[in-house]
Amino acid sequence: MKKVFTFLLVMCLSFSGTMIMAQNHALDFDGSSNKVGILDSPELNPTAAMTLEAWINAEEWQSSIWAGVIISKQGSGPDKGWCLSAGENGRLEFTVSVDEGWKSVATPQLLGTNAWYHVAGVYTGTQVKVYINGVLIGAEDAIGSLTPGEGVVVNIGENPTWTGRYFNGMIDEVRIWEVARTDAEIQASMSTELTGSEAGLVAYYPMNEGTGMTIADATSNGNDGQLINMSEDNWVDGFVPVTADIGVMGIASPSYIGSGFAADEKIRLEVKNYATEPITEFEITYQITGSDAITETVVVTIPPFETYIYTFEDLVDLSGETEIEITGSVSLDGDDNAANDVLTEMIEPTLNFMIFDEERHNYGGYGQTHTKTLYMPESLEDFSEIYIHIDLECPTGGCDPWDQPAKLMINKDGENYEIARYITPYGVACGGWTWDITDFRSLLVDEVDWVSYVQVWGASGWLVDVELELIEGSPEYPFVKIEKLWSEDNWVYGDPDVNDDFPEMDVMIHPETEAAKIRMTMTGHGQANTSNAAEFSDFTHHIWVDGEETFEQHLWKDDCDVNSCAPQSGTYLYSRAGWCPGQDVQPWEWDMDGHFTPGEMVNLDYVLYDYTNLLNTGYNGGSHTEPHYRCHTYFVQYSTEDIVGISDQSVVMDHIQAYPNPTTGLYNIKMVNDNIKTIDVYQLNSQLVASYQLNGDQEFQLDLSDMPNGIYMIKVQSENHTTVLKTVKSN
C-alpha cells in the first residue's frame, strides 16, 4: 500500500450531533461567472485570529490552486485580507495577510471531484492551518496580527480583487469566525447546523433558502449576500457527508512508457478512498476491449484519502498488441457516487511521450502551474538514458514579453524535485532544449506527478511542450541513488540582516557506491543594488568537501548573444549569473572521484562569494527584486548493486536481519555469522543522533522510543560488513 500521509493513517472520522436534513440547499457555481457578493463590514475583518469553514463539491478543478476561490476577502496595495481556495487536481489552500505579508498553507492533492468535503482554514496568531473533513492536513508559521481587508468585499465563488478565479462546483454552509477553532471544535460541529449565536461566529450562511437572489447571514450582524450572475437554477440540494466512496485514480500498468507490450504484463489499478471512513473490502474489475472482464475481491484497509495500487493475480499476454483500450472499475457497498467508479484509457506504449502538449501557462485562468500524473514502469533497468525536451509556443495574441524563470519538477511521494530549468525569452516562441535526467531514474518509476511551472505575470503566457524520451540499452550503473542537498528558490544574497551562508550537509555513502557526483542548477536574480547582484554580478563560488575547498563555480554566462531564440526584444545580449533569456539552464556537475569512501560520511559545504548589498531597499522603485539565488542541488551515487531500495518492511539479508519496520521504538538488529562492532544512528538530514560501541555481540536491540517520529538511517559496522539500514519510527 502506498503511504501518502502517515498522519492520516489512523484518522477515522465520525459525525456527531444533529445532521442537517430538512431544507438542505446549496449553490452551484459554474466556474466562469457565478459568485456571491457580501459588502464589507467591521465584523468581517478580524485581526487576532480567524477560522473559515465551508462544504464544497467540485465539478472540475481549476489548473492553479489559487484559481478556484471558495471564499475570499483579498485586497492589495498593501496586502490585506484572507482567502480559502482549491484547485490543481484537488489541493486546498488557506491564505492570510499578516504583518509580514501573505502567508499560506496548502494540502497535497487529496480532494476528488463530485464528492462533498468539509474544508477549513484557521489562523491562530502564530500558525496558519488547513483542514479537510476535520483532519489537520498542514500548518505553517505565520506570526503577527491579521491585516484587515477594510474596503474589500467578500466573495463566495470568486476573488474580489484578482478576478477570474471562479470555483466550479457546489458550496454550502459557509462560516466566518473571529476565533481560531480547535480540531475538536471543527469536528464536533462541521456537519451540524448552527444557531448563529455561537461565540466568535461573525457570519454564517446555511444557504437553505433554496430560492431567491440573496443568502441570509444567520448571525445578528446581518451581512447578507447577493447572488451575482446567478438564477433560480443555481439552487441545488445541499451537502451530505460521504462515508463510503472509492474511485479509480488511474491505470498503473501496463505503462504508457516502453517499446511495446510483453507476454507477462501486470494489470494494476490505483484506487482512492475519497470518504471519511476506512474501506476494508471492495470489488475491482478490469476489462481489455475484446476480452472478458476480470473481477476480484480486495480485502485491505484503505484509510480516508489514501490511495492503494492493486495488482491482479494473473499476468496477461499482450505480446503482439500495439495498443489496448482498458477499463478499470470498482464497486463498494454504500458508495452512491458513481462519477469516479469507472476509468477507461487507451494505452499505446512509446519511448517518446508528450507529458504536456501546448499546455498554456499564464497568470489568469490557466495558471502558472500544471500537473500531470504519469504511471511509469516499475523498473527502468532496460533504459540507458532518459531525456526531457521542452519547447515554447505562443498562444493567440502573442507570447509573454518578459524573461522569467521556469522549471519542470517531479513530485514523488509528496516531495518535489526540480529536474530542468529554463528562462523564457522576450516574447518569441522557441526552445529545442534538452536535459539528461538519467540521474533521477530511481524516482521515475510507478506513479510520478510531473509539474510544469512558469513564473509568468501576464494574461497571455506560454504554450509549453514537454516530451519524455527513453533510450533502450544497458546502463553503466543500473542503480542510481539521488538525494537533495540545497533546495532553494529564493536564497537571499547579501542582505546584512539575512544569513546567506548555506548549511553544511553530511551525506552517507552507501557501502556499495562505485561513483558519485554533485549536481547543481544555479542562477542569480534580482538587481538595482550593489554590483547589480545577483543577476548581473560576476562572482565565483566554491564547494568544500570534508573541510577543504575542492570545486570552483564561476557563475557567469557570457554567451547570451549565441541564442536560439534570437532575435528577441529586451536585454537578452547581456551576460548574466548563470542564465540567458530564452535559454536552458544546464546543471553544474562535479565528479566526487577520490573525495569519498564507501560506507563513510562525507561533509559538503557551498560557500558563496563574500558580498554585501549596500543598497538594500527600494530595488529601483519596486521594479526589481532583492538579490537572490535559485539553487537546487543533488548528491548522486552510482552502483552495479542495489543501493536504492527503501523498504517499508523488515530487512532480511544473508548477513543481517532487522525488524520491525516501521517501529514504535524498539528495533532489533541481528548479524548472521558475524559480530557487530559499532551502530550509528542518523536523522534523514544526516545528523548523527546516537552511537553505540559493541563488544562483538551478534544481536542488539536499538531503542528509538525517546526520538521524534521520522526516518532514520542506521549504519551497522561488523567485522566483515558495513550495512546502512533505513527505518521509520512512528507511534
Side-chain angles (χ1 to χ4, degrees):
M1 180 181 299
K2 190 178 85 174
K3 296 174 177 61
V4 181
F5 299 100
T6 56
F7 50 77
L8 291 177
L9 298 184
V10 296
M11 300 302 290
C12 302
L13 305 181
S14 61
F15 294 98
S16 60
T18 303
M19 298 297 297
I20 301 173
M21 298 299 289
Q23 294 185 332
N24 184 17
H25 297 286
L27 283 171
D28 190 6
F29 297 78
D30 64 4
S32 61
S33 65
N34 295 167
K35 62 182 177 181
V36 173
I38 303 164
L39 294 178
D40 184 31
S41 72
E43 300 85 19
L44 302 176
N45 293 288
T47 57
M50 74 173 304
T51 301
L52 296 179
E53 295 183 73
W55 280 88
I56 65 170
N57 185 324
E59 181 177 339
E60 184 179 21
W61 298 116
Q62 304 288 7
S63 59
S64 296
I65 192 172
W66 42 261
V69 168
I70 301 165
I71 180 170
S72 176
K73 196 179 192 296
Q74 279 184 302
S76 63
D79 298 340
K80 52 190 175 183
W82 38 262
C83 182
L84 187 64
S85 62
E88 202 176 312
N89 294 325
R91 299 182 67 203
L92 178 71
E93 182 177 58
F94 179 49
T95 303
V96 295
S97 178
V98 295
D99 296 335
E100 299 176 341
W102 292 117
K103 296 293 182 180
S104 65
V105 61
T107 73
Q109 297 170 348
L110 297 180
L111 302 172
T113 55
N114 302 298
W116 282 105
Y117 296 94
H118 181 271
V119 295
V122 175
Y123 180 64
T124 66
T126 58
Q127 282 189 315
V128 55
K129 300 179 177 181
V130 65
Y131 293 77
I132 299 177
N133 286 348
V135 178
L136 176 63
I137 305 299
E140 296 287 345
D141 291 338
I143 299 175
S145 298
L146 291 164
T147 307
E150 294 175 350
V152 181
V153 301
V154 173
N155 274 357
I156 298 174
E158 198 215 13
N159 193 293
T161 300
W162 294 281
T163 58
R165 302 180 180 186
Y166 291 100
F167 184 81
N168 188 353
M170 293 178 281
I171 300 177
D172 196 5
E173 281 288 313
V174 174
R175 304 167 181 181
I176 305 173
W177 305 75
E178 62 177 1
V179 295
R181 307 201 78 210
T182 66
D183 301 20
E185 288 171 336
I186 292 173
Q187 293 172 13
S189 64
M190 66 184 188
S191 59
T192 63
E193 192 168 88
L194 305 179
T195 65
S197 60
E198 286 78 3
L201 185 66
V202 296
Y204 173 38
Y205 305 97
M207 297 187 181
N208 285 339
E209 288 83 358
T211 186
M213 298 303 292
T214 60
I215 57 172
D217 177 7
T219 74
S220 60
N221 293 322
N223 292 305
D224 297 345
Q226 179 70 41
L227 277 61
I228 301 174
N229 299 324
M230 305 180 82
S231 68
E232 294 285 341
D233 294 338
N234 292 99
W235 288 105
V236 294
D237 291 337
F239 85 92
V240 176
V242 178
T243 58
D245 183 11
I246 190 171
V248 181
M249 288 278 292
I251 313 296
S253 67
S255 173
Y256 288 93
I257 308 302
S259 57
F261 295 112
D264 54 354
E265 291 282 357
K266 296 179 181 178
I267 305 299
R268 303 165 71 226
L269 302 183
E270 183 172 25
V271 298
K272 181 172 181 175
N273 179 5
Y274 288 105
T276 58
E277 299 290 341
I279 292 171
T280 57
E281 182 176 337
F282 61 95
E283 287 192 341
I284 190 166
T285 300
Y286 82 87
Q287 183 173 21
I288 298 174
T289 301
S291 302
D292 295 335
I294 305 297
T295 299
E296 295 180 4
T297 299
V298 182
V299 180
V300 65
T301 299
I302 308 178
F305 305 127
E306 191 163 342
T307 63
Y308 175 74
I309 294 180
Y310 179 73
T311 303
F312 284 82
E313 294 181 0
D314 295 331
L315 300 176
V316 181
D317 183 358
L318 296 178
S319 57
E321 300 288 341
T322 58
E323 66 177 18
I324 62 168
E325 183 179 68
I326 183 170
T327 298
S329 61
V330 287
S331 176
L332 172 69
D333 289 342
D335 182 353
D336 295 326
N337 180 24
N340 56 21
D341 288 351
V342 181
L343 177 68
T344 299
E345 292 187 2
M346 183 69 72
I347 299 177
E348 182 181 1
T350 178
L351 296 175
N352 294 75
F353 186 83
M354 290 298 297
I355 302 174
F356 297 103
D357 189 0
E358 297 188 6
E359 195 77 31
R360 187 169 179 179
H361 297 58
N362 76 348
Y363 191 61
Y366 293 95
Q368 298 171 314
T369 304
H370 293 259
T371 302
K372 182 170 183 178
T373 300
L374 180 60
Y375 294 95
M376 303 284 290
E378 293 181 84
S379 170
L380 296 176
E381 61 184 14
D382 295 329
F383 303 101
S384 58
E385 300 158 81
I386 308 170
Y387 294 99
I388 281 292
H389 308 285
I390 294 181
D391 293 282
L392 300 180
E393 300 177 44
C394 294
T396 302
C399 286
D400 186 81
W402 294 105
D403 54 332
Q404 296 284 2
K407 60 183 176 179
L408 180 70
M409 299 175 286
I410 56 171
N411 185 286
K412 188 68 175 176
D413 297 328
E415 187 169 4
N416 279 330
Y417 299 81
E418 182 186 293
I419 62 173
R421 188 185 311 171
Y422 59 97
I423 310 296
T424 63
Y426 288 99
V428 297
C430 65
W433 306 313
T434 297
W435 292 262
D436 185 339
I437 62 168
T438 311
D439 288 338
F440 296 88
R441 66 160 64 243
S442 62
L443 302 175
L444 300 175
V445 294
D446 293 321
E447 181 183 353
V448 179
D449 290 331
W450 297 81
V451 184
S452 174
Y453 170 80
V454 181
Q455 180 181 286
V456 55
W457 303 112
S460 56
W462 302 92
L463 303 179
V464 180
D465 294 326
V466 177
E467 182 182 17
L468 174 67
E469 179 185 12
L470 286 84
I471 306 297
E472 291 185 295
S474 299
E476 179 181 4
Y477 296 108
F479 298 101
V480 182
K481 182 178 182 180
I482 189 164
E483 301 170 88
K484 285 185 179 180
L485 294 178
W486 305 284
S487 184
E488 301 290 341
D489 278 328
N490 186 27
W491 188 260
V492 174
Y493 183 42
D495 187 335
D497 297 325
V498 178
N499 182 14
D500 60 15
D501 182 25
F502 278 91
E504 295 184 31
M505 305 294 287
D506 291 319
V507 178
M508 173 68 74
I509 306 298
H510 195 281
E512 302 294 339
T513 293
E514 300 167 44
K517 74 179 181 187
I518 299 169
R519 176 186 178 120
M520 175 188 289
T521 305
M522 180 75 165
T523 53
H525 306 270
Q527 60 180 93
N529 38 62
T530 304
S531 300
N532 273 330
E535 180 175 342
F536 294 110
S537 55
D538 183 354
F539 294 155
T540 297
H541 313 304
H542 292 87
I543 298 283
W544 289 55
V545 180
D546 288 333
E548 295 186 4
E549 186 177 281
T550 307
F551 302 117
E552 181 178 279
Q553 181 191 52
H554 181 208
L555 191 65
W556 192 241
K557 193 166 176 58
D558 58 7
D559 62 348
C560 292
D561 57 327
V562 184
N563 196 304
S564 62
C565 295
Q568 305 177 39
S569 301
T571 60
Y572 78 93
L573 294 174
Y574 296 170
S575 301
R576 287 172 166 86
W579 61 274
C580 300
Q583 285 193 13
D584 51 328
V585 180
Q586 293 295 331
W588 290 75
E589 296 184 347
W590 295 281
D591 191 343
M592 286 290 293
D593 184 33
H595 300 289
F596 71 90
T597 301
E600 300 294 334
M601 300 284 290
V602 62
N603 177 268
L604 302 172
D605 193 12
Y606 183 39
V607 180
L608 298 177
Y609 177 84
D610 190 11
Y611 162 75
T612 300
N613 182 15
L614 301 177
L615 303 172
N616 202 46
T617 59
Y619 305 115
N620 201 26
S623 62
H624 292 106
T625 57
E626 186 171 24
H628 64 279
Y629 283 121
R630 293 176 181 264
C631 178
H632 287 263
T633 312
Y634 304 94
F635 193 83
V636 190
Q637 302 182 53
Y638 304 91
S639 180
T640 54
E641 303 295 331
D642 188 358
I643 61 173
V644 180
I646 300 176
S647 174
D648 288 330
Q649 307 301 322
S650 302
V651 174
V652 179
M653 303 180 186
D654 291 340
H655 66 281
I656 191 172
Q657 298 176 5
Y659 60 92
N661 192 9
T663 177
T664 58
L666 298 179
Y667 187 64
N668 300 290
I669 302 172
K670 179 179 180 181
M671 301 300 297
V672 179
N673 300 321
D674 206 349
N675 298 315
I676 304 172
K677 297 171 62 178
T678 62
I679 294 177
D680 295 321
V681 181
Y682 298 87
Q683 291 180 329
L684 196 57
N685 63 3
S686 300
Q687 179 179 350
L688 180 67
V689 294
S691 185
Y692 304 89
Q693 299 288 329
L694 277 72
N695 297 316
D697 299 335
Q698 282 191 298
E699 299 183 27
F700 183 74
Q701 188 174 67
L702 182 63
D703 190 353
L704 303 175
S705 301
D706 294 332
M707 295 186 183
N709 290 343
I711 300 175
Y712 292 88
M713 307 295 296
I714 302 170
K715 178 183 175 184
V716 182
Q717 180 74 52
S718 68
E719 293 181 357
N720 301 307
H721 298 89
T722 298
T723 306
V724 179
L725 309 172
K726 191 168 189 175
T727 187
V728 178
K729 192 260 179 176
S730 61
N731 292 330

